[in-house]
Amino acid sequence: MMALRATKKTIIIASAVTVLLVGGGAAAAMVISGQQAQPRTEASRSPEATPEPVATEPPAVVPVTNVARASIDAWTLADRGVVGTVLPEVGDAAEGAVSLRVDAPADDADIIAASAPVALAPDTEYTLSVSVRVLAEEKTETGVRLTAAGQTFTLPELDADWETIEFPFTSAADQAAASTFDVVLSGAVRGFGIDDVSITAAGGDNLVPNGSFEAVQTPAGIVNDSLIMTDESALLAVSLAEGPAQWSATSTAGGEPITGEFGSAGPLSALPLTGVSQGHYAVTVNDSSGRQIQTDVAVIDADGFSVSQDGRFGVGSHVEKDPFIGTGSLAAAIGFAEVRNDISWERNEKVAGQYVWDQNYVREFERMHANDVKLLGLVVYGNRLYGARKAPGNEEAIQAYGAYAKAVADRFDLVGLEVLNEFNHRENDTACGPAPACYVPIAQSVRDHVSTAYPDLPIVTGSTALYDSEWFSGFWQAGGMAVTDAASYHPYESWINRDADLIAGTVQQSYADMQEFAGETRPVWVTEMGFPTHYDGVSLLEQGQMMVRNQALAFANGVEKYFWYDLVNDTPDPAAGEANFGLYENAPRADVVALAPKPGAFAQALMITQLRDKAFVSDESDDTTTVEVFGSGDDETRIAWAKQGEVQRTFASDVPLTVTDMSGQTQSVVPEDGEVTLTLGASPVFISSESESDSESESE
């Protein structure tokens, strides 16, 4: 699955008249002392009766690459809280083994992603030369501009083929001796690569240190920034003893291991997982020194080098704890678009009316923003400055709580503000107690303080332990609807009863209670729900199966957003019940820098990829099977399973159906007489129609 490196092209953007020749096309650009001229306009021509056919280039081949968590000698790379990814890349460098990748999905401009020192003489002619690309089949804007010594150089649209571009320029007459070459963001950037950077005068040496990025500093072992990959990033970035190395990958679902060999060279190299298809795997690497390294990885068939995020899917986190460092990139790697996290009142307001933000929150919430992951801020709990510690319990405290919620909205990139957590269930130290009538004034304070400044920011209320029908009925009768934009609860009834399908009735009841006791409804957000994998929980594989069933039924019954609990295991103890809800292991394994994904992480990424933002359309369940339909027409995907045992289910189809199981394996099933019959079990499958192009490519 390793693609051959595409042919490099050279473009010279001159300081006088520039002609850009690529595939027979022509364009012009100019850079003089930092000022970019308008493109040259060709003289008009008379139309011809029979136009000549225009030759078009085939789509570029996107190579298999990945990034390493390492530093690059002589270069300053932006902090991860500013740019999502700016790291050394391996697998397909323009020169040598290493290039630089920039991936910044947040639409932030004028940020320096990478910088290197250069020393230029005044009033001297130089040539800036760079090899650049974007990991895309078609030409696209880079979202990047280059600067050197105060001059700006604009890049053309690029695709996955490396292109070498030369920019002749003349330094200023008053040029300072010390300057920099910078890679600057102009907005959102996806998969930008740069390599072989040089600034030279005629006959002179390259003034950009380590312009090929080969000199890196990295720990030994497997140094991938993430162990969740797609078919366009299915390789290990490794720093191993030089010489031959062997590797194997064994599917968690079973089967014979896939094995291979490669030669390790240099401080950082690429180990392609050739032959490893979609799935969750245990990987072992043995290098020439006798070192053995083991970790788990997940590989997803996706369009691109990363899993696309879906706004319906969120995850719980605890960034105040060390295992959750890097939550933004950990969540984005799976495809989560949102993270729910406590924002503790007592941590941030230690002097009345003064907000000093805990640096764990600042660091991690900024990193979420850099990865285009939004925050559901959970405003908790009380503050002893105003009396009770577990909830605001008097008028002064309630108003201070609302003011604090407004300060949270001022400071962070939010998708919503959630009012307290499990108010109905937690031991309460206020005189009023946990009654819904005691909760309404607290939510009202949040609305009063927040909604004028942020009218489109949802106020999320309820957040109850389990779905507490009696509490919610009282809440709606006490006027809760007026302070609610979305209602939330934690339907752990499904976990307690080991029945993922119970959530359907829970959600139906919640909407019925709204209608009965308030006469209207609000969207439901499931802000906490999960299945732990401790000794008395579910198995590692069952966690993913339960997740998919629970989420599918939640969306099918009207849930707008679903936040899985939890992102990372809280401790390394596999027997601790509360600690094993996570989708990642608690700590990196020996000689591995990234957290290993559990099979549940693969299942979640698989579901997000399969649905690809497809809305719920219809329910096709019967007495023995559950079938939920997302999307329509050629873009239709069904999630199906049997309610008990194994059951055959027939689907009408005139085209072959692609069936993907929870291990990631796919099969094409050809219809007979316009029907496809499948055997369904407890483990859900994804069923989609094959397009004509899919069928043709398989037949070839």
Side-chain angles (χ1 to χ4, degrees), residues 650-671:
T650 298
F651 300 90
S653 180
D654 294 324
V655 299
L657 298 181
T658 298
V659 181
T660 304
D661 65 21
M662 291 302 299
S663 74
Q665 295 182 353
T666 64
Q667 61 172 325
S668 176
V669 184
V670 178

Side-chain angles (χ1 to χ4, degrees), residues 39-324:
R40 177 168 58 88
T41 303
E42 296 185 358
S44 60
R45 299 178 180 179
S46 300
E48 299 179 10
T50 306
E52 294 291 330
V54 178
T56 58
E57 292 186 357
V61 177
V62 179
V64 178
T65 62
N66 214 322
V67 294
R69 203 177 301 174
S71 62
I72 300 175
D73 291 358
W75 286 78
T76 300
L77 306 182
D79 184 81
R80 301 295 295 275
V82 178
V83 178
T85 299
V86 52
L87 292 171
E89 178 185 61
V90 294
D92 181 50
E95 295 293 337
V98 182
S99 56
L100 178 69
R101 163 91 68 82
V102 180
D103 192 53
D107 193 10
D108 297 329
D110 302 323
I111 293 172
I112 297 175
S115 182
V118 293
L120 303 181
D123 197 24
T124 303
E125 293 183 354
Y126 292 99
T127 298
L128 166 65
S129 177
V130 293
S131 293
V132 285
R133 69 161 174 216
V134 173
L135 292 173
E137 293 183 350
E138 305 293 340
K139 295 286 187 182
T140 184
E141 293 285 346
T142 65
V144 168
R145 64 183 187 272
L146 308 178
T147 67
Q151 303 199 43
T152 297
F153 307 96
T154 302
L155 296 171
E157 292 186 342
L158 300 171
D159 57 22
D161 293 341
W162 284 109
E163 294 187 8
T164 299
I165 305 179
E166 295 179 355
F167 298 92
F169 70 99
T170 301
S171 60
D174 59 349
Q175 175 67 55
S179 187
T180 58
F181 168 80
D182 301 320
V183 178
V184 185
L185 307 186
S186 299
V189 177
R190 296 313 306 255
F192 174 75
I194 184 169
D195 199 3
D196 202 19
V197 182
S198 67
I199 296 177
T200 57
D205 295 332
N206 182 11
L207 300 179
V208 180
N210 192 22
S212 64
F213 305 106
E214 298 303 305
V216 299
Q217 300 298 318
T218 179
I222 297 174
V223 295
N224 288 56
D225 187 53
S226 173
L227 294 170
I228 295 179
M229 316 170 195
T230 72
D231 44 354
E232 290 183 10
S233 59
L235 64 77
L236 299 179
V238 294
S239 179
L240 303 174
E242 293 203 7
Q246 296 77 40
W247 63 272
S248 67
T250 304
S251 172
T252 306
E256 293 296 317
I258 301 163
T259 61
E261 296 185 358
F262 90 112
S264 176
L268 186 62
S269 55
L271 189 165
L273 295 175
T274 306
V276 175
S277 58
Q278 180 169 259
H280 183 272
Y281 295 88
V283 171
T284 300
V285 177
N286 296 282
D287 73 5
S288 61
S289 73
R291 171 187 290 152
Q292 183 177 89
I293 308 171
Q294 295 180 320
T295 190
D296 286 0
V297 305
V299 178
I300 306 292
D301 287 343
D303 294 331
F305 57 88
S306 61
V307 176
S308 296
Q309 293 161 278
D310 188 319
R312 291 170 292 186
F313 293 87
V315 66
S317 184
H318 306 285
V319 302
E320 57 277 8
K321 299 179 182 179
D322 285 347
F324 292 82

Side-chain angles (χ1 to χ4, degrees), residues 594-605:
L595 294 177
K598 295 164 62 176
F602 167 75
Q604 183 68 92

Side-chain angles (χ1 to χ4, degrees), residues 472-643:
F472 269 108
S473 298
F475 178 56
W476 303 131
Q477 291 178 84
M481 192 63 70
V483 297
T484 298
D485 294 310
S488 70
Y489 47 84
H490 309 154
Y492 284 112
E493 293 91 343
S494 291
W495 150 238
I496 293 169
N497 292 280
R498 310 300 197 270
D499 185 353
D501 299 1
L502 281 179
I503 195 170
T506 301
V507 176
Q508 292 167 12
Q509 183 64 51
S510 70
Y511 277 113
D513 287 344
M514 284 188 234
Q515 192 64 52
E516 179 178 355
F517 296 104
E520 56 182 316
T521 64
R522 294 286 188 267
V524 168
W525 293 11
V526 170
T527 55
E528 191 176 310
M529 178 58 206
F531 295 86
T533 57
H534 68 300
Y535 74 97
D536 193 34
V538 298
S539 72
L540 290 169
L541 292 177
E542 286 174 335
Q543 184 185 49
Q545 296 167 10
M546 294 282 198
M547 166 196 288
V548 170
R549 287 169 55 162
N550 201 252
Q551 291 177 344
L553 284 170
F555 294 133
N557 285 277
V559 167
E560 187 173 84
K561 293 180 183 290
Y562 182 116
F563 290 79
W564 176 263
Y565 187 85
D566 202 358
L567 182 63
V568 178
N569 281 354
D570 290 323
T571 77
D573 181 4
E578 284 294 317
N580 287 275
F581 280 88
L583 299 179
Y584 289 96
E585 295 178 359
N586 174 260
R589 301 189 191 182
D591 297 317
V592 182
V593 302
L595 294 177
K598 295 164 62 176
F602 167 75
Q604 183 68 92
L606 177 67
M607 183 177 190
I608 291 172
T609 302
Q610 289 286 322
L611 291 189
R612 293 190 183 97
D613 293 315
K614 300 171 189 174
F616 171 73
V617 173
S618 64
D619 175 77
E620 295 180 351
S621 303
D622 59 22
D623 291 342
T624 59
T625 61
T626 299
V627 180
E628 307 300 348
V629 185
F630 294 80
S632 59
D634 294 338
D635 202 32
E636 191 174 71
T637 293
R638 288 171 170 81
I639 305 178
W641 64 90
K643 296 178 180 178

